């Protein structure tokens, strides 16, 4: 009986902490519906194709039944640079950097709702096998694309939640 009373007393402060579930209502909730209403613009190059595919998957834009409410414009900057050098000027380490400047545009008003930049980098060991190095560079790009797209979708969800709260 004492344990139950203690559990109830300790649970009371948690109810007032101000945390609210982001995706309340599941796929029918306001945030999930807002994310599916985002149309992702085309992006050039392999990095652009990977980024657009990741964003469409994470936003759920393919499940949209009605017209888009927002457009997401993304400009990518993908750099690969050599870092470690041996005495014979052979590169032993590379860094792949992926930066994305993105804007969320309200299609009804043309207003930019969100304008931010996100970027990550990854280190790559350059080995004697050229095939292995190219494979590592490609894998780094794929992983960076997934991470950057996750961050973009999280920021969009936070912005949509703020807009939803302001509209109520």
């Amino acid at each position: 009986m004492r344990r139950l009373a203690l559990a109830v007393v300790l649970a009371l402060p948690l109810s007032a902490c101000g945390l609210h579930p982001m995706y309340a209502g599941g796929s029918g909730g306001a945030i999930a519906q807002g994310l599916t209403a985002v149309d992702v613009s085309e992006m050039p190059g392999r990095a652009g194709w990977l980024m657009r595919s990741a964003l469409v998957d994470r936003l759920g834009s393919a499940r949209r039944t009605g017209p888009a409410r927002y457009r997401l414009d993304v400009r990518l900057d993908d750099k690969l640079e050599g870092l470690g050098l041996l005495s014979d000027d052979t590169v032993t380490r590379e860094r792949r950097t992926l930066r994305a400047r993105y804007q969320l545009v309200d299609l009804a008003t043309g207003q930019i709702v969100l304008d931010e930049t996100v970027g990550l980098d990854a280190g790559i060991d350059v080995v004697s096998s050229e095939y292995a190095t190219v494979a590592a560079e490609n894998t780094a790009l794929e992983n960076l694309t997934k991470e950057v797209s996750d961050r973009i979708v999280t920021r969009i969800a936070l912005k949509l939640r703020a807009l939803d709260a302001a509209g109520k």
Side-chain angles (χ1 to χ4, degrees):
M1 186 66 169
R2 290 184 81 186
R3 287 185 182 177
L4 180 60
L6 181 62
V8 170
V9 169
L10 292 176
L12 287 176
L14 291 177
S15 65
C17 69
L19 294 177
H20 303 285
M22 174 80 77
Y23 298 105
S27 63
I31 303 304
Q33 292 295 317
L35 290 176
T36 59
V38 176
D39 186 37
V40 182
S41 298
E42 296 289 329
M43 292 170 250
R46 183 169 190 274
W49 179 83
L50 287 169
M51 180 63 72
R52 185 175 188 283
S53 295
L55 287 168
V56 167
D57 287 346
R58 284 160 176 72
L59 291 168
S61 300
R63 296 188 312 263
R64 181 177 58 241
T65 56
R69 174 154 186 217
Y70 300 100
R71 183 184 73 237
L72 181 63
D73 297 325
V74 182
R75 286 193 326 247
L76 295 176
D77 182 22
D78 178 29
K79 291 184 182 175
L80 186 64
E81 59 185 338
L83 291 178
L85 292 175
L86 295 176
S87 59
D88 63 351
D89 289 334
T90 304
V91 175
T92 60
R93 188 117 173 109
E94 293 177 334
R95 179 174 63 189
R96 178 157 232 155
T97 306
L98 184 64
R99 303 272 181 259
R101 165 112 190 264
Y102 59 97
Q103 295 178 327
L104 185 66
V105 179
D106 187 331
L107 293 175
T109 63
Q111 178 184 359
I112 297 174
V113 177
L114 184 63
D115 185 357
E116 293 185 356
T117 302
V118 64
L120 294 169
D121 59 21
I124 303 165
D125 288 327
V126 177
V127 295
S128 60
S129 169
E130 188 175 328
Y131 175 78
T133 301
V134 170
E137 291 169 355
N138 289 335
T139 300
L141 178 61
E142 292 168 9
N143 292 338
L144 288 171
T145 301
K146 289 176 188 174
E147 289 295 320
V148 169
S149 67
D150 282 344
R151 291 184 184 202
I152 291 172
V153 171
T154 299
R155 286 297 299 139
I156 291 172
L158 290 171
K159 185 62 174 183
L160 292 177
R161 183 174 73 174
L163 291 172
D164 185 52
K168 288 186 177 178

